[in-house]
Each structure stands twice: as structure tokens, then as C-alpha cells.
Amino acid sequence: SAQLPLIQMSTRREYLKFRIKTLRRFAAEGGSSPNKQSDVKMEELEEEFQKHMAEFSTLDQRLEQGIGSYNERFGLRFLFDNKDYLEVIHSDLKAEQALSDIDMKLKQLEAHEGNQEP
């Protein structure tokens, strides 16, 4: 089926999205975990996060291309989990950009506050 590679990539993308969200939450909590896995270092989390983000970005590009071709070839919208997955990708990209903007503003604010004398 022409959908199989798209389904496999979409499934992997959703897994990565979950892992990235989990890693962000874990890092925001300062590395503390409900199951007390204190041996996990923040450096390892950052490395895993960066690997996941790189793969996530690659999958986005491949899916956009593949879904575009599928939609054009079959005259149908590719659905994953009963959603137009191209729209899901675009929505996630906008959300990721918003998160990046917020992170950048927070870092600028922290840097500014760190430069001020009490």
C-alpha cells in the first residue's frame, strides 16, 4: 500500500513527539523524576533531546514531501489517527516555533536580570 511508509513515519514521529515532550518536562523539573532515576544526567538528556529533534525534523521534511506526493497522486488527503496529517505537522511546527520564541525570551530575561545589580 502507498500509505504504509507514511504510516510508519507518522508513527515514529508521534513517538518522538511524545519523547521530546517528556524530556522537556523532565528538564523543566530539574531532572527530578517520580521514579527517582537520579543517575540520569542532564547532559545525557540534552544529547537525547538533540538526537530526537534532529530525527523529528528529518521526518517532518520526508513526511511533507511524501504526503504531498500521496495527496497529489491519489487525489485524497492522507489521514493518520483520523486527522489530516499535513495539517498536524504544520500545527506542530507553529507550536514548536512559539516554544522556541518563548525559550529565547526567557533566556534574554534571565541574562538581563543576571546583569543587574541588587
Side-chain angles (χ1 to χ4, degrees), residues 84-103:
D84 182 330
Y85 207 61
L86 207 49
E87 289 181 12
V88 170
I89 291 170
H90 293 153
S91 174
D92 288 348
L93 285 171
K94 286 179 186 174
E96 182 61 36
Q97 183 61 48
L99 268 178
S100 295
D101 291 348
I102 290 169
D103 284 344

Side-chain angles (χ1 to χ4, degrees), residues 1-63:
S1 160
Q3 288 188 352
L4 185 59
L6 297 176
I7 291 169
Q8 290 171 328
M9 285 189 285
S10 299
T11 301
R12 177 68 181 166
R13 184 183 181 280
E14 288 301 313
Y15 166 76
L16 288 171
K17 187 163 68 170
F18 171 78
R19 286 293 298 149
I20 289 165
K21 186 176 180 178
T22 301
L23 288 169
R24 277 190 172 133
R25 189 176 315 125
F26 189 79
E29 294 169 358
S32 62
S33 172
N35 53 9
K36 307 289 183 201
Q37 292 181 343
S38 59
D39 59 336
V40 177
K41 296 178 183 170
M42 292 304 282
E43 290 173 14
E44 293 169 354
L45 290 175
E46 180 63 26
E47 186 177 317
E48 184 179 355
F49 177 79
Q50 293 303 328
K51 284 181 186 177
H52 286 340
M53 287 300 292
E55 184 180 355
F56 190 78
S57 177
T58 300
L59 279 173
D60 275 354
Q61 293 170 358
R62 291 179 62 200
L63 277 165

Side-chain angles (χ1 to χ4, degrees), residues 70-82:
Y70 174 88
N71 291 350
E72 196 174 301
R73 180 176 175 199
F74 295 101
L76 301 169
R77 304 295 293 167
F78 174 74
L79 302 180
F80 184 76
D81 197 23
N82 290 324

